[in-house]
Amino acid sequence: MASKDCVKVAVRVRPFNKRERDAGSRCVISMTSNSITIQDPRNQQNSRAFTFDYAYWSHSGFSRNKDGLFVPEEAGGRYADQANVFHGLGQGILDNALHGYNATLLAYGQTGSGKSYSMVGNGPNKGLIPSLCERLFQFFRNSQDSRQCQVFFSMLEIYNELVIDLLSKASRSAGGLRVREDQQRGFYVEGLRRVPCDNAVQVEQLMEQGTRTRTTAATHMNANSSRSHMLIIVQLKQIFSKECITKQSNINLVDLAGSERQRSSGSEADRLKEGTAINLSLTTLGNVISALADMTLGKKVVHIPYRDSILTKLLQSALGGNSRTVMIATVSPADICYEESLSTLRYAERAKRIQNKAVVNESPTERLVKELKAENVKLLLRMSRLGQEGRRADDETKELRRLLTHNDLQIRAIQTLWEQHLQEALKDWETQYATITQERRMMQMYPYIMNVNEDAQLSGVVKLFIQEGEWDIGLADNSPRALSIRGLGIQEKHAVFSSHQRRVSITPVFGSKVIVNGTSVSKNTELQHLDRLVLGSNSTYLYIGFPSERSGEDWSRYDYDYFQSELAAAEGIHIQSLCVGQNQTDPSLLAVFYDYIKLMPMVTEANQMSKELKKGVEFKLEIKNLAMSDSKGHDLEKEIAVRVTTVESKQVWMWSKSKFVNRKFLMEEVYQQEVVGGERADRAPLARDRDPFWDPLEPLHLGSAHLWLQSLAFRIPLEEQVEVVGPEGTEEAILQAQLVACSPTGLSLGEDDILIDPSELLGKRLDFQLVLDQCCGLRWVKEARNRGVQIGFQVFDCTQPLYSPAVWHNVNPLLDHRVQFTSLRTSQELLNYLQSNALVLELWGLQEGCSELFSCMDGVQMTQEDGIIIDKMSESENMAKTGGSDLSSSLHALHQDLEQLRNANAVLRKENSTLRDQLHSARNGEHFLRGSLRPSCDAEFAKALKVFYHSMTSVRGQLQRLRRHKPSEEADLLGLRLFVDEHSYLLKDFAAQMEQCVTTLKQDVAAIVRRKREKSGIWS
């Protein structure tokens, strides 16, 4: 009878890792009982709450005891240690398996979120798998009298839809193992090795062997372990002799690939997005979980896509089938991992709705024995009858005896299969134990290098010992003094290790890439204990010196992130450089730094694959918006982008992080087929539209310049040479532009039209022109003369950007582009915009073969003079008040006009009275120029302001240069002194210019006031 129950889901929150601690990350996850709340670090008011079957807080409140175990700081504290997690999850898995049910444990989460720690553990802190096996064999020892128990262990990996047997003694086939389907067994892996075990130590040895194979396979295939799935299958058979009952169950322990969710820019859709097979298993698993969750909610589901990937085929019984399933989702609580953690929690929430139908399993082997014995009884009965009929039945009797003998042999083979397998496994364990013993002995005698992997469980698995003399390291393994390694960018003979008189050095072979402690080396370099080596594209090793050099220091801090951070620092990228001038580290900057060091090895590998496949494409990491700001001058959010350049034609693409990661997986597939698989000679060239190294050309955003609009609020003309700054702070060009207040017909306004108070514009018409004169020193065109540029801009409430005509093949092109904008009734919003914003002028790069950018004029309103109408909201509000057909609104408008006329009349009467008084004073010989004094003073103030605004333009440019002025990362003491001197000079120049501007304005205002006092003492 099948029992229906839902998938049980647990969530575990890990501590901060070293990178997160160093970056000052903030915890954004809180937990109460089984409820978890995650808070958006960019918006404190935005939070999401989830409830699960189990919730484990392992982030804080723990300490390490004398045995090395992490335990709660206080008795009864909230910290969930490994024993706590096993008690809640592992014990249930074990109990279900002992009762004859299939049981599955899935570990899900982003790379580095603690999946492997929860599943496998570290040192004395044993994870779910070793603890479960230990308890399993302990239970069997205590129940030997009541049952006979058999345990078979298998271990496999799925990468790029290939199944790899991690325990196989045979060489790996290029296509991997095949997945078959059987009506009774369901989907299974054909040829997967099943190793019998009778104690937990043997299981641990098999896991170590599988991990070693996994590390070697990952290096050989250029596979990232975080993108592969690992499955451990423990087959359990219990034979109850007295009851004549056999229970058989499978325990599936699954460490799923990293669940990273790329932050999408929302502006690009990769044409090859669905092409990658590396992501197929995880994507299909999500589709299966969603379909099963919808089915549980009563929705009509036509198809559940189990057959769409290898992983979902093998997990069909675990998801909606004959199994009792538990999922543990591991998350990082750091603000820089917010998006990935939120995605994991959403995924887990869907999974808890899935319902399975588990049944107690009967062993097919035991049933076969019963069937064979029953058939033998029938054969004996037939033989006895034939014996009574005489010699005529001799031939048939011989055939029956042959069948009887064959069945007896099958019964004996089935019954002795377990013992034979166990004896064969014992021989393998003896050989493996001898190998491990030899390795441990050599560790105490010689220096060695050990691998460092992104997956901590795979680090330290490969050890290459450097004995006395010279040792070649590389792909070649045909020499007795060769250390064989595989990986991208590794040459046949890559480098030479020399060990003489207890001193070890490395000498790169010409053309090979060797990095020591983040610095590329090309000549003989002596190694020190705990030096970091990178060979080829991304084969990372830690050098362990002679035993006498080892002083018990903690090697664990030299993890994969440490290597990548060291390489990033060598390129001038570290968290301190990104946070210059900020009191507090911005979470978005932390996320950018994390993305940068995560993508660095991927970019290196992509460059190596391009080189080996002769694609002629180079990849380079860039930090987008590093020195760019919005129209208010606020810094834009930083993002990672990858610049892609063809070496010959200098064509350039700019890919987002998500697009590059997707393309990198596709590149790996092409590389596997053409290089590793040896199919290059037999395959037709890859079609260009399927080539992950190519894309159609598109305009590129090169940088932006800011033209501040404040002068328009005073109707002062502005003419500037503004610097176009690229995403990384480089000077891309100098742009000559003007902002000119004008009449409706486009004639420039004179000095008499300059305003002292911008509020005088309210409710009035405002016309102005943007004039783009020339672009000078285009770096984009200097690099390749077959390129062009356009300028894009967007003013106030214009919904679509406008573009200047394209100009080609010129480093200093004349733009001669003029656009007029009109506000028919200036609103307070437009006035605020002019006084606090800049017009952002974006420089776009064009290449031969890409389409130009065109201004979309749909919905754009124009004046009779061809001016583009802005501030449409105030105009529509005005029309709603005055232009409606409703009589009451028209009457209300007439009343308002009448009131305005009355007010104007009163003002005119008052002004007439003032003029009479002035005329009377003039007749008495008193200051006859008083009436014309106000306009002349206004004009003088306007001239002073105009001069001040023009002078402040150069001051603002000097301030921008100061902000970008930074010392070189490679500068020595002399270089730093030169930088300080240069910086001091720039500061003095800036202070002098600022002082000059303010002094000039003060002098002009003082002169105007003095002349006013000389002429009249009335106006103030």
Side-chain angles (χ1 to χ4, degrees), residues 757-812:
D757 184 2
S759 62
E760 295 180 41
L761 282 174
L762 288 174
K764 296 180 181 178
R765 175 166 176 156
L766 172 65
D767 293 270
F768 65 92
Q769 290 183 347
L770 168 65
V771 184
L772 302 176
D773 293 317
Q774 187 176 13
C775 215
C776 300
L778 280 168
R779 195 161 72 98
W780 170 249
V781 182
K782 284 179 183 176
E783 294 172 355
R785 288 281 180 166
N786 61 345
R787 295 172 175 174
V789 294
Q790 285 181 270
I791 306 294
F793 48 89
Q794 199 165 348
V795 178
F796 193 46
D797 56 1
C798 291
T799 56
Q800 298 292 333
L802 305 174
Y803 298 98
S804 66
V807 287
W808 293 83
H809 319 306
N810 196 334
V811 177
N812 304 305

Side-chain angles (χ1 to χ4, degrees), residues 890-906:
S890 299
L891 185 61
H892 180 68
L894 288 172
H895 278 301
Q896 283 186 328
D897 290 343
L898 181 60
E899 188 64 29
Q900 288 178 359
L901 289 171
R902 285 174 179 170
N903 293 336
N905 189 27

Side-chain angles (χ1 to χ4, degrees), residues 106 155 166 331 373 395 409 511 694 749 854 870 954 988:
L106 302 168
M155 191 173 178
L166 297 177
V331 294
K373 286 183 177 179
D395 293 340
L409 288 173
W694 179 86
L749 297 182
F854 292 97
I870 60 173
S954 60
K988 289 179 181 178

Side-chain angles (χ1 to χ4, degrees), residues 26 125 143 315 339 361 395 425 443 497 558 574 613 845 886:
R26 185 170 60 86
N125 297 280
S143 57
L315 292 182
E339 293 183 7
N361 301 289
D395 293 340
M443 288 170 64
F497 281 110
Y558 298 106
H574 43 78
L613 293 172
D886 185 77

Side-chain angles (χ1 to χ4, degrees), residues 730-997:
T730 55
E731 181 183 299
E732 296 293 330
I734 298 296
L735 181 61
Q736 296 178 9
Q738 299 180 50
L739 282 173
V740 182
C742 62
S743 67
T745 58
L747 296 175
S748 300
L749 297 182
E751 292 182 351
D752 292 339
D753 298 301
I754 294 175
L755 301 176
I756 298 299
D757 184 2
S759 62
E760 295 180 41
L761 282 174
L762 288 174
K764 296 180 181 178
R765 175 166 176 156
L766 172 65
D767 293 270
F768 65 92
Q769 290 183 347
L770 168 65
V771 184
L772 302 176
D773 293 317
Q774 187 176 13
C775 215
C776 300
L778 280 168
R779 195 161 72 98
W780 170 249
V781 182
K782 284 179 183 176
E783 294 172 355
R785 288 281 180 166
N786 61 345
R787 295 172 175 174
V789 294
Q790 285 181 270
I791 306 294
F793 48 89
Q794 199 165 348
V795 178
F796 193 46
D797 56 1
C798 291
T799 56
Q800 298 292 333
L802 305 174
Y803 298 98
S804 66
V807 287
W808 293 83
H809 319 306
N810 196 334
V811 177
N812 304 305
L814 289 173
L815 301 176
D816 195 20
H817 183 61
R818 184 182 298 261
V819 185
Q820 183 165 326
F821 298 93
T822 301
S823 172
L824 298 176
R825 187 180 178 88
T826 304
S827 67
Q828 185 65 51
E829 289 75 16
L830 176 59
L831 200 58
N832 294 340
Y833 170 77
L834 294 177
Q835 291 181 294
S836 61
N837 286 62
L839 180 61
V840 180
L841 303 172
E842 295 183 332
L843 180 64
W844 289 87
L846 304 176
Q847 307 171 74
E848 282 191 354
C850 81
S851 57
E852 297 178 5
L853 296 166
F854 292 97
S855 304
C856 178
M857 304 302 289
D858 294 343
V860 175
Q861 300 177 23
M862 308 289 290
T863 64
Q864 293 180 353
E865 299 84 7
D866 291 334
I868 296 174
I869 296 177
I870 60 173
D871 203 10
K872 294 182 285 291
M873 187 62 70
S874 70
E875 183 61 24
S876 62
E877 289 174 357
N878 183 50
M879 290 179 64
K881 292 176 183 177
T882 61
S885 59
D886 185 77
L887 183 61
S888 62
S889 61
S890 299
L891 185 61
H892 180 68
L894 288 172
H895 278 301
Q896 283 186 328
D897 290 343
L898 181 60
E899 188 64 29
Q900 288 178 359
L901 289 171
R902 285 174 179 170
N903 293 336
N905 189 27
V907 171
L908 288 172
R909 285 179 178 178
K910 188 175 181 180
E911 189 173 344
N912 282 346
S913 176
T914 305
L915 288 172
R916 288 193 191 98
D917 292 341
Q918 289 177 355
L919 183 59
H920 178 70
S921 300
R923 287 175 180 173
N924 292 333
E926 299 177 1
H927 311 285
F928 64 90
L929 292 175
R930 189 180 297 172
S932 61
L933 183 59
R934 175 64 179 265
S936 63
C937 287
D938 282 357
E940 289 179 355
F941 271 120
K943 288 179 181 178
L945 281 173
K946 182 179 178 181
V947 171
F948 179 70
Y949 276 117
H950 280 300
S951 58
M952 283 301 292
T953 298
S954 60
V955 173
R956 187 182 292 114
Q958 182 72 351
L959 180 60
Q960 291 176 348
R961 283 190 290 273
L962 273 170
R963 290 178 63 185
R964 291 193 302 273
H965 190 235
K966 297 176 183 177
S968 170
E969 293 292 336
E970 300 175 354
D972 53 10
L973 184 59
L974 179 60
L976 288 174
R977 286 176 178 171
L978 292 174
F979 166 77
V980 171
D981 293 341
E982 186 179 356
H983 203 71
S984 300
Y985 173 77
L986 289 173
L987 280 172
K988 289 179 181 178
D989 189 29
F990 173 72
Q993 288 188 37
M994 178 66 78
E995 182 67 27
Q996 180 66 31
C997 291

Side-chain angles (χ1 to χ4, degrees), residues 429-448:
W429 283 322
E430 289 175 0
T431 304
Q432 185 180 351
Y433 180 75
T435 303
I436 294 172
T437 304
Q438 174 68 12
E439 182 180 273
R440 289 174 179 170
R441 188 183 302 116
M442 294 185 72
M443 288 170 64
Q444 301 304 317
M445 297 171 60
Y446 303 106
Y448 59 93

